[in-house]
Amino acid sequence: VTAPNPPTTADVPTPQQRERATTIFERSVAGRRAGTLPPLDVPERPLDELIPRRLLRERPPELPEVSEPEIVRHYNRLSRRNFDLDTGPYPLGSCTMKHNPRLNERVAALPGHARLHPAQDPKRAQGALDLMWRLERALAEICGLPHISLQPSAGSHGELAGLLLTRAYHEDRGERRHRVLTPDTAHGTNPASVTMAGYEVVKVATDERGGVDLDDLRSKVDADVACLMLTNPNTLGVFDERIAEITQLVRDAGGTLYYDGANLNAIMGRTRPGDMGFDIVHVNLHKSFSQPHGGGGPGAGPIAVSDRIEPFLPVPRLVRREGADGAAPAFDFEYERPKSIGRLRGFAGNFGVFVRSYAYIASLGGDGLTEASETAVLNANYLLARLRRGRAGRFLPLAFDRLCMHEFVLSGDAAKRELGVKTLDVAKRLLDYGFHPPTIYFPLLVDEALMFEPTETETREGLDALADAIEEILVEAERDPEVTRNAPYTTPVRRLDEAAASRRPVVRQPL
Amino acid sequence: MLDAIGVGSVDDLFAEIPGELRLAGKLGLPAGLSESECFDQLASLAERNADAESELCFLGAGMYDHYVPALVDAITQRSEFLTPYTPYQPEVSQGGLQVMFEFQTAISELTALPVSNASLYEGPSSVASAAYLAIGATKRRRLVVSRGLHPHSRDTLRTYARGFDAEVVEVGLEGGLTSADELQAAVDSETAAVFVQSPNFLGAVEELEQLASVAEAAGALTVASVDALTLGVLRPPGECGVDIAVGEGQQLGGRLDFGGPSFGFFCATEDHLRRMPGRIAGETMDAEGRRGFVLALQTREQHIRREKATHNICTSQALNALGGVVYLAWLGKRGVVELGELLVRRTAYARERLAELDGVELLHDAPVLREFAVRFEAPVPDVLDRVAAEGIGAGYWLGREYPEYDDGLLIALTERRSREDIDRLVDALGRAISDANDAFSPRSEEGASRPAEVPS
């Protein structure tokens, strides 16, 4: 390590730390403004002649009064108080923080996409429908399932869709089932979606190798089980090699098989959920397909389904009709689908996300996507190999000792017992070193979990630097655990009182 | 790297995938493209769409062709906002968290309801999310829905209601407005919530206070779907007895994007705070007393509470919500009123001009703000095709969603549609209605069998 370690005190506050956070409302000065509007070019009739006074607002809302340069400065200042993927490594597990190609932003902003009204007659939006069709076909190929609905807005929305599809499927067969199985390693969205869809969650245990505990599964699969929701590789980064047996078990009992596609980045072009026996898959376009995360959205969560689920897909359905006599095919939306679960949202989905993800798929092609997954798995295993050595190997051992796929989970239990530093402390100290921490305290079955997903767009140098930083943090902790416990020192604010924010919530500014 | 891992090849890393599950060949997808080829392919797809730059757009029905200030693009395209994840590490996410806090303040101020979340996916699914809250809060399972609520919202609510095991009952319209009598008859002691929209799908400004009082008398909540951009002018839902206000946020500086991504908003009275869906930013302090922001009340959320969460949402629409708050700052306190007033007056002008045409009458005469409905004495799809051939998207045909208004058209205004544009629309519609009637009259045998020719 050539560079000196980051500060171990905050005795001298940084310029950002000295600056008090000020909101856009606090910058408001009466009479200032930024935007201007076109002049009134129609008769100036009194408002209450057009709308009864009782329906009109008496006092204008207190929006800020600020000039354009002040708005720019304000949000630029705020932006500098964010860590982002374009600044440094972001190995957040199960989030797939891969590079966001800027080409995708450019094509999404083309007026033919950005200014296309969603209620435009499909006859006059053929380019958009064609793009959606191409994206559907590509996702079908990647997932190994024939039918797609692009409509869900995010992964959890896709999960809800999948569970409502499951319900419709069983009801169509005259069955009412009540329980949905999810492993104890599942993403939190899985059980939350199960409840929203009116089902009861039944947890399935994890075995000593990190896969589904087959005995536990067998004891819980029965004619009341509507569905099994699974991620494979799971949130431990472990590929369950008995997956075919697992899906067959549930299928034999009449249940549907749901694949949480949050971890699809591990397997593209190598294996496919449809081939593993799954009926329904959601795909996070904001994970595997490079839609920027935007600080918490937007994303999109298209679903791929098997033939037996297809009749129930949401409306509208995108259809392609062959042109007569060699004419180009025509695309349309179909609404009359009697068995459909109905709509999940307005219009046809997050089209702007479709444009970016389609551009990503078109850029990489089939081989490129396969290589992306291979490199993601290679990077994860390389980082893991680096972290098996030295102090990390001793204080932060791998939770389930085997090769990983695109992500892996370490346990900080030894660091907590032997060094007196918790996973939270290690994560906060990583901030001082210029890295975003991994996902922490998830999955729940690993004590003091740290879940790393480096993705394919990190370089070997970047991975080495991350491993070096973790080693250095553990050296510091051996020497003086207080350094770790009090981190971070260099961020715009230091550790925040999250409990107070929930005890006495202040969720807006009084004006 | 393989040496460090201790394997001989990348294939070895995938050894745990059983042979019979490995993809035998390659993915059946086209070869990858260079950046310029990819751009050209996407550009040629985009060219096959008639967007609001290439035609005069009077389409609304929930999304509107407002001007998106350059400032909004400049800020939302900054890496620091575009590329982070949800702010799980608040020390390095103060920018995004403060944006959420500002967003909540702005939306709460517009709706006059004290608490707002930091966004949901979009409009109609936000309506359905309100039903989930109402069922939890009231322990009742009947949802009474105005037919003036956006058809997509009603459909989405029905879809979600199957999961909630809830019954959805619809209340009709009278003169463009939700029938208060029908509502009174439909609301009972099992009703969790009443769902209305203002301005409603036909553009009419509802008597929110009156409708909310019907719900309140039965112990049901009132959920109002509102157009935030109209709230510089219209009485806000929080002053009308509404418990939950939700809505589509595209109007606030969002692109049309063929329907998304945009954002949904969700505000409520204080007593519903702990049942709210989605992320909520809260103000707090750091260890040294500095002001800071965090994700508040996370114990409502799926990543903590799992099956007992108030909602399943994880990825929401943070970047679009940022665009919304930047837009509202750009518009400012005076701008939001001026824009509302401009829309009211332009809409009144357009409505009156249209009503003067032969073969056109108003579908209702309730007060409107930015959108209104007319009826044609001619087949609406045919008229639309005719004006589209002149480069005009005249509006939204009501027939698909409302069989009773098969002859109806919904026309929307924004600040981008000038008086001159309106005059052009009126002119074109006048001719198209007359031509359509000629073509379809029994005297014109040839025209009757030939639909208008429209370039596709």
Side-chain angles (χ1 to χ4, degrees):
Chain A
V1 180
T2 50
N5 286 359
T8 54
T9 72
D11 293 346
V12 183
T14 66
Q16 275 192 326
Q17 287 171 349
R18 281 200 301 274
E19 185 179 90
R20 183 178 187 273
T22 306
T23 69
I24 191 76
F25 296 92
E26 288 158 352
R27 295 185 186 279
S28 180
V29 174
R32 290 187 186 161
R33 68 184 298 165
T36 51
L37 297 167
L40 185 68
D41 52 2
V42 295
E44 184 167 1
R45 311 248 305 264
L47 223 56
D48 56 2
E49 191 181 290
L50 299 169
I51 298 176
R53 185 168 288 277
R54 66 177 182 282
L55 302 178
L56 293 176
R57 186 165 196 143
E58 286 165 9
R59 192 181 56 83
E62 294 293 332
L63 293 181
E65 295 182 88
V66 278
S67 67
E68 174 156 331
E70 291 169 289
I71 298 174
V72 173
R73 280 193 180 157
H74 176 74
Y75 288 103
N76 280 6
R77 192 182 292 120
L78 283 194
S79 77
R80 288 192 293 272
R81 294 164 78 87
N82 268 358
F83 183 87
D84 65 291
L85 177 60
D86 288 348
T87 297
Y90 214 124
L92 203 56
S94 275
C95 300
T96 313
M97 299 299 286
K98 65 168 71 176
H99 174 65
N100 311 129
R102 287 312 191 276
L103 166 67
N104 303 353
E105 297 304 309
R106 177 175 283 183
V107 292
L110 291 168
H113 297 139
R115 286 194 68 197
L116 180 58
H117 195 286
Q120 178 60 289
D121 187 331
K123 289 199 296 277
R124 287 184 279 279
Q126 286 292 296
L129 272 62
D130 191 351
L131 185 150
M132 290 169 68
W133 180 262
R134 294 180 196 201
L135 178 60
E136 284 196 2
R137 290 304 93 214
L139 295 177
E141 172 66 11
I142 293 162
C143 294
L145 285 163
H147 314 285
I148 304 282
S149 170
L150 297 175
Q151 201 179 111
S153 306
S156 57
H157 208 208
E159 291 172 17
L160 179 63
L163 290 158
L164 293 171
L165 288 168
T166 291
R167 174 179 286 269
Y169 165 78
H170 290 304
E171 284 176 3
D172 188 55
R173 295 158 54 92
E175 288 185 15
R176 185 81 200 243
R177 296 178 174 225
H178 299 92
R179 303 191 302 156
V180 172
L181 305 179
T182 67
D184 51 10
T185 51
H187 296 116
T189 50
N190 291 183
S193 301
V194 170
T195 308
M196 279 183 85
Y199 285 114
E200 183 197 335
V201 178
V202 177
K203 260 188 249 177
V204 181
T206 297
D207 70 12
E208 68 286 350
R209 298 196 68 237
V212 170
D213 183 330
L214 268 177
D215 290 336
D216 193 46
L217 179 66
R218 275 193 205 97
S219 73
K220 287 169 179 165
V221 172
D222 60 25
D224 199 33
V225 168
C227 176
L228 169 70
M229 297 181 88
L230 209 63
T231 313
N232 193 32
N234 66 15
T235 58
L236 298 164
V238 166
F239 190 91
D240 205 316
E241 64 270 47
R242 294 175 302 184
I243 188 64
E245 197 180 336
I246 293 166
T247 55
Q248 194 58 47
L249 205 60
V250 176
R251 182 171 294 262
D252 288 347
T256 66
L257 280 307
Y258 187 94
Y259 182 94
D260 175 341
N263 292 351
L264 192 69
N265 208 47
I267 59 163
M268 293 187 294
R270 281 281 177 170
T271 180
R272 309 191 300 179
D275 300 339
M276 297 177 208
F278 287 94
D279 286 299
I280 310 168
V281 176
H282 85 250
V283 178
N284 303 77
L285 295 185
H286 45 298
K287 292 181 179 173
S288 308
F289 298 97
S290 83
Q291 159 71 25
H293 280 86
I303 47 175
V305 305
S306 61
D307 287 332
R308 65 174 179 164
I309 302 297
E310 190 275 340
F312 311 101
L313 279 175
V315 281
R317 297 272 292 121
L318 178 61
V319 292
R320 179 184 196 261
R321 300 199 179 96
E322 292 308 322
D325 304 327
F331 301 91
D332 201 0
F333 288 125
E334 234 174 54
Y335 295 84
E336 297 308 317
R337 295 276 176 139
K339 290 187 176 183
S340 166
I341 59 168
R343 273 189 175 279
L344 292 160
R345 52 160 291 158
F347 299 108
N350 282 341
F351 177 77
V353 178
F354 307 156
V355 175
R356 291 177 180 86
S357 291
Y358 175 71
Y360 176 75
I361 291 170
S363 296
L364 267 67
D367 290 348
L369 290 173
T370 305
E371 196 185 329
S373 281
E374 289 170 354
T375 310
V377 172
L378 177 69
N379 275 355
N381 277 287
Y382 178 77
L383 180 62
L384 172 58
R386 284 288 326 263
L387 293 175
R388 280 173 184 271
R389 307 208 299 251
R391 286 171 180 77
R394 180 174 156 209
F395 297 116
L396 306 172
L398 187 60
F400 289 84
D401 194 4
R402 55 193 281 192
L403 282 177
C404 68
M405 295 295 283
H406 69 307
E407 67 186 5
F408 58 88
V409 178
L410 307 183
S411 169
D413 192 40
K416 185 170 141 188
R417 277 185 288 105
E418 296 176 35
L419 298 176
V421 300
K422 293 185 286 196
T423 281
L424 183 72
D425 303 324
V426 173
K428 296 303 181 196
R429 186 61 177 147
L430 264 173
L431 299 175
D432 286 326
Y433 279 80
F435 294 92
H436 196 283
T439 296
I440 53 174
Y441 297 103
F442 184 82
L444 307 175
L445 81 165
V446 175
D447 287 334
E448 299 288 318
L450 299 107
M451 183 196 213
F452 289 87
E453 181 185 3
T455 83
E456 70 277 16
T457 56
E458 261 347 297
T459 59
R460 176 181 180 164
E461 304 86 84
L463 301 173
D464 283 334
L466 174 58
D468 291 343
I470 289 170
E471 177 70 11
E472 207 50 44
I473 287 168
L474 294 169
V475 169
E476 286 175 351
E478 276 180 327
R479 210 181 298 140
D480 179 7
E482 283 301 309
V483 166
T484 326
R485 281 188 216 133
N486 292 322
Y489 304 96
T490 57
T491 49
V493 293
R494 300 189 60 209
R495 285 196 204 192
L496 289 150
D497 189 347
E498 300 195 44
S502 294
R503 230 175 14 249
R504 294 178 305 277
V506 178
V507 299
R508 68 157 283 181
Q509 182 162 10
L511 298 174
Chain B
M1 288 170 84
L2 291 168
D3 288 346
I5 299 166
V7 294
S9 70
V10 167
D11 282 342
D12 293 345
L13 299 174
F14 291 86
E16 289 187 343
I17 301 178
E20 67 275 15
L21 295 183
R22 286 180 209 154
L23 189 60
K26 293 177 164 201
L27 282 175
L29 295 175
L33 300 175
S34 65
E35 180 163 337
S36 61
E37 290 171 308
C38 188
F39 177 84
D40 290 345
Q41 189 193 106
L42 272 286
S44 67
L45 283 168
E47 273 169 24
R48 288 162 55 202
N49 300 323
D51 59 74
E53 205 150 294
S54 60
E55 74 173 23
L56 192 58
C57 175
F58 290 92
L59 280 164
M63 290 205 173
Y64 302 89
D65 181 39
H66 288 288
Y67 181 71
V68 179
L71 182 63
V72 170
D73 287 342
I75 291 172
T76 55
Q77 282 294 304
R78 284 187 70 94
S79 289
E80 300 89 338
F81 289 127
L82 184 69
T83 70
Y85 200 73
T86 299
Y88 287 140
Q89 296 289 338
E91 296 85 354
V92 288
S93 310
Q94 284 301 296
L97 285 160
Q98 187 178 322
V99 166
M100 289 180 179
F101 184 78
E102 292 181 357
F103 172 87
Q104 290 163 199
T105 302
I107 298 292
S108 160
E109 181 62 21
L110 279 171
T111 58
L113 281 162
V115 294
S116 165
N117 75 3
S119 78
L120 291 176
Y121 303 132
E122 46 84 68
S125 55
S126 303
V127 173
S129 299
Y132 198 47
L133 187 156
I135 289 166
T138 62
K139 313 293 175 215
R140 301 174 177 184
R141 290 187 184 272
R142 186 176 154 97
L143 309 170
V144 175
V145 179
S146 161
R147 197 158 167 75
L149 188 66
H150 196 300
H152 294 176
S153 298
R154 280 183 283 135
D155 289 351
T156 303
L157 190 62
R158 277 194 203 93
T159 304
Y160 276 59
R162 274 181 221 117
F164 307 159
D165 212 8
E167 176 196 12
V168 180
V169 181
E170 201 164 285
V171 169
L173 300 174
E174 238 177 60
L177 295 167
T178 305
S179 163
D181 292 343
E182 268 192 56
L183 182 68
Q184 184 81 54
V187 174
D188 63 13
S189 62
E190 287 308 302
T191 303
V194 168
F195 294 79
V196 294
Q197 179 177 321
S198 186
N200 67 22
F201 191 70
L202 302 180
V205 181
E206 291 275 7
E207 299 277 355
L208 272 187
E209 198 164 4
Q210 187 192 354
L211 301 174
S213 69
V214 174
E216 197 191 354
L221 303 183
T222 300
V223 179
S225 176
V226 295
D227 178 343
L229 205 51
T230 67
L231 294 177
V233 167
L234 292 183
R235 180 183 292 271
E239 291 177 13
C240 301
V242 167
D243 300 282
I244 300 171
V246 295
E248 170 57 54
Q250 180 272 335
Q251 295 89 313
L252 304 178
R255 298 167 174 175
L256 287 167
D257 269 343
F258 200 48
S262 57
F263 67 87
F265 57 87
F266 194 112
C267 329
T269 52
E270 190 95 41
D271 45 332
H272 297 304
L273 177 61
R274 285 171 198 275
R275 286 186 193 275
M276 298 265 283
R279 313 287 183 186
I280 300 176
E283 186 177 335
T284 189
M285 284 197 292
D286 80 355
E288 291 165 357
R290 281 182 207 95
R291 184 189 201 184
F293 301 90
V294 293
L295 291 177
L297 304 164
Q298 291 191 58
T299 51
R300 297 168 299 114
E301 294 196 65
Q302 47 79 23
H303 63 281
I304 306 287
R305 200 56 169 276
R306 300 179 73 82
E307 66 267 24
K308 294 197 174 65
T310 60
H311 201 277
N312 67 341
I313 194 167
C314 179
T315 289
S316 184
Q317 308 286 134
L319 193 70
N320 306 89
L322 165 66
V325 75
V326 171
Y327 180 76
L328 287 171
W330 178 84
L331 205 53
K333 181 179 174 180
R334 280 186 295 161
V336 74
V337 177
E338 287 170 13
L339 177 54
E341 291 177 348
L342 180 65
L343 293 175
V344 174
R345 291 180 175 127
R346 285 231 182 114
T347 304
Y349 174 77
R351 196 189 202 191
E352 283 166 19
R353 289 278 340 258
L354 255 297
E356 288 163 8
L357 286 181
D358 279 346
V360 176
E361 62 177 68
L362 296 183
L363 194 145
H364 64 79
D365 61 3
V368 295
L369 192 138
R370 62 139 78 234
E371 198 160 20
F372 63 99
V374 290
R375 305 187 109 127
F376 291 162
E377 287 169 19
V380 177
D382 181 44
V383 172
L384 287 177
D385 279 346
R386 286 171 190 278
V387 296
E390 292 187 39
I392 300 175
Y396 182 88
W397 176 44
L398 289 167
R400 186 197 301 276
E401 311 279 4
Y402 293 85
E404 67 273 36
Y405 306 135
D406 194 42
D407 54 356
L409 184 74
L410 195 59
I411 297 171
L413 279 295
T414 70
E415 76 288 353
R416 304 185 84 159
R417 300 293 94 85
S418 66
R419 176 181 185 149
E420 199 180 317
D421 296 333
I422 296 168
D423 292 343
R424 197 178 139 203
L425 170 75
V426 173
D427 205 47
L429 281 177
R431 275 183 285 110
I433 290 167
S434 154
D435 291 351
N437 281 330
D438 287 350
F440 279 86
S441 74
R443 284 189 299 278
S444 171
E445 294 287 323
E446 188 200 353
S449 60
R450 185 181 57 85
E453 279 173 29
V454 177
S456 56

